[in-house]
Amino acid sequence: MARKTMTVTFADASQLSLFAYGSGLAYEDTPNMGRLLQMKIAHSVVITPGRCGLYETTRELVTGLRALGIDSRMVDPTFKTNQLFPAGETDDRGALFASEKWAASADVFANHSGLSEGLERLDKRVIHVAHGRPRSSFLQGLRGVPVYGYQYAKDKDPNFTDVVTFWPSHVPYLEVMWPDTPITCVRAPVDLDAWTPDGPSGYKFGGHGGVTNVVVTDAWREDIDPFTCLNAFALWAREYDQKAKLHIYGAPTRDKRIMAAWNPLLRTIQDQDNLGEIKPWVRGLAHVYRAADMLISPNNIDTRSVREAMACGCPVARMPAYDIRGLVDSMTAEIARHRSDVRRDAECLFDPEDTAREFLAVADKGNTRTLEAAE
C-alpha cells in the first residue's frame, strides 16, 4: 500500500497560515471564513510537572492550542488525575487537567503516554504523538516497555488515524512501524515565557565563575550519552580555551557501573584542569542556562535541553553526523554568537502557538463542525 506521508518542515510552516485567531475563537484562514472551529482535544499523558520532558512538551502543546481558542485538556491514563481532581478542573501553568468524563465529549484524542482502558472504550479518533527517539523507544523493550510492540498493534487499529512527530529525521523510522498511517512532522515547542533570558542568572558553577562555563544537560540514554560531548570539549579546551570548565547535569552518579566506564575520560578532562560540576540534577535549570556560556548536545535534533537553553539565550553546539571535529567547529562558532540572536532563533523555531497550528491541521481532519454564524 502506498503511504501518504505529510511532513511539515520549518520552512513549510512559515507559509502554513491555516488559522487566524482572536477573541478566543479560531477561524479557518481561507476565502470561506464562515466556518467556525469549536473542537475539543483530550491529551492522554501521565501528569508529571517538572519531572518529564514528554509531559512538559505536551503541556506546551496544550497551552498553544488553548491560546488559539481550542478546548484542549490533559487526561492522565493512570487515573491519578481522576482521583486527585474528581471535578476534572485544575491546571498547570495554563494547561487544564480533565477527567475521563470530560474526555468522553472530546472530538479527538492525542495519545502521548498511552490510553487507559476507559479511554480506549470511548472509541474516539486517535492521533498518536511520537515523542521519543526511535532507537530509544526500541531499546525500552529491554526494560519491559514494549513501545515498538504497541506501535505495531496500533497501526492496525482503525481509530488511530494519524501519527505526529517533532523530528523530520524520525519520519523514516516511523514509516516502518506505521506503514498504513499518515505521518506529520510539527515543530517542537518550548515555553518561551518560562525559559527566558530575563530573570536570575547568578548561578556560580561550584565556584567556577569568571571562566568560560560549558554545560551538558541532555539525559543519558542507551542510544545517546555525552561521550561525543566529552571528547569534543577536551579537544576544544586544549585548542581554544584552556581555562574553560565543563559541567555535567543529569549524570547517573549513583550508577557505579556507568560512572566507572566514564571515569577515564572524565579524569582526562580533570587532568587538563577543565572539569567542573557533575550532578544528577540541579535546581533552577533556567538559572544555569542564563549564566552558562554554551551548551553542547550529543543530539543533532532540538531536544528539550536545546530548546530550553536557546530560549534562555544560551548558545548551543551540536554534532553533525557523529563528527567530533564538526562538534569542535560548532562550539567555536556558537560561543561567539550574541545571546539575543539565540533567543530570537528560539522564538522563531519553538513558539507553542506555531506548534499548535500545525497540530491543529492534523486534528481538524474530519472533525470540523459547521455552525450557523449569528447575525
Side-chain angles (χ1 to χ4, degrees), residues 77-207:
T78 67
F79 297 100
K80 177 176 59 179
T81 310
N82 295 321
Q83 294 164 1
L84 294 176
F85 314 112
E89 297 295 337
T90 188
D91 73 282
D92 175 21
R93 293 162 286 172
L96 286 179
F97 304 153
S99 65
E100 286 189 356
K101 181 178 180 180
W102 179 88
S105 66
D107 298 288
V108 62
F109 289 165
N111 175 34
H112 301 268
S113 299
L115 302 176
S116 67
E117 290 183 4
L119 293 175
E120 292 267 16
R121 285 196 297 269
L122 292 173
D123 198 33
K124 298 284 187 176
R125 175 187 168 219
V126 180
I127 299 171
H128 179 73
V129 185
H131 287 256
R133 295 185 299 273
R135 181 164 174 76
S136 180
S137 298
F138 172 74
L139 290 172
Q140 286 193 50
L142 300 176
R143 299 194 299 272
V145 184
V147 177
Y148 258 48
Y150 182 85
Q151 294 181 13
Y152 176 80
K154 292 306 180 183
D155 182 59
K156 313 300 187 292
D157 187 331
N159 284 342
F160 279 65
T161 63
D162 293 272
V163 173
V164 165
T165 180
F166 301 102
W167 324 116
S169 60
H170 293 179
V171 170
Y173 297 94
L174 293 168
E175 287 177 332
V176 173
M177 296 309 299
W178 299 87
D180 300 320
T181 308
I183 300 170
T184 301
C185 185
V186 304
R187 71 186 68 201
V190 75
D191 187 336
L192 293 168
D193 294 324
W195 301 93
T196 169
D198 302 321
S201 60
Y203 190 76
K204 302 300 184 182
F205 297 103

Side-chain angles (χ1 to χ4, degrees), residues 217-295:
T217 60
D218 278 282
W220 293 32
R221 300 280 174 84
E222 293 95 335
D223 64 317
I224 292 288
D225 59 41
F227 176 72
T228 54
C229 295
L230 269 60
N231 279 274
F233 174 83
L235 292 174
W236 180 83
R238 289 178 191 175
E239 298 172 7
Y240 296 100
D241 193 337
Q242 288 79 20
K243 294 183 179 180
K245 297 293 183 182
L246 178 68
H247 309 277
I248 304 171
Y249 303 115
T253 54
R254 294 182 180 180
D255 191 322
K256 294 181 180 179
R257 181 181 59 89
I258 292 178
M259 295 310 296
W262 285 102
N263 270 340
L265 190 50
L266 293 173
R267 284 201 302 267
T268 297
I269 297 173
Q270 188 174 38
D271 289 344
Q272 296 179 189
D273 198 25
N274 295 128
L275 189 61
E277 294 186 304
I278 303 177
K279 291 185 174 183
W281 67 280
V282 61
R283 186 183 300 275
L285 200 51
H287 301 184
V288 174
Y289 291 142
R290 293 182 192 123
D293 295 286
M294 179 168 50
L295 172 90

